[in-house]
Amino acid sequence: MAPRFLTLADVTEVLNISAAQAYALVRSGDLPAIQIGGRLQWRVEAQELERYIERMYAQTRARIETEAAQEADSR
């Protein structure tokens, strides 16, 4: 069974980003997370990470479609 919660190190590995980028995603609220324990370590629910990835796919598709439409209009 896969773990329910991931560390920021896990997030950096999955997304192939730096620790600073993962931290920024969490601090900005783009990637929902919780802080636990006495040291307030960040944890990201695996489902939230998957939702984030899906949102990024959708945003990328929308941007590409918009750019393609603008390019077609300019011809």
Side-chain angles (χ1 to χ4, degrees):
M1 184 163 126
R4 179 176 177 180
F5 290 97
L6 306 170
T7 64
L8 287 188
D10 296 331
V11 171
T12 64
E13 188 174 321
V14 170
L15 296 178
N16 195 26
I17 60 175
S18 70
Q21 289 171 312
Y23 183 72
L25 286 173
V26 166
R27 293 288 293 180
S28 70
D30 286 341
L31 180 58
I34 59 172
Q35 285 187 296
I36 61 166
R39 300 171 87 186
L40 297 176
Q41 295 181 354
W42 289 103
R43 294 293 183 269
V44 176
E45 196 166 4
Q47 286 184 338
E48 290 296 340
L49 180 57
E50 290 304 318
R51 287 184 194 116
Y52 172 78
I53 292 168
E54 289 300 319
R55 283 194 311 274
M56 293 302 100
Y57 273 121
Q59 286 179 12
T60 301
R61 277 192 299 273
R63 181 179 46 81
I64 289 169
E65 290 168 0
T66 299
E67 289 171 358
Q70 289 173 347
E71 188 175 308
D73 289 345
S74 67
R75 290 182 190 171

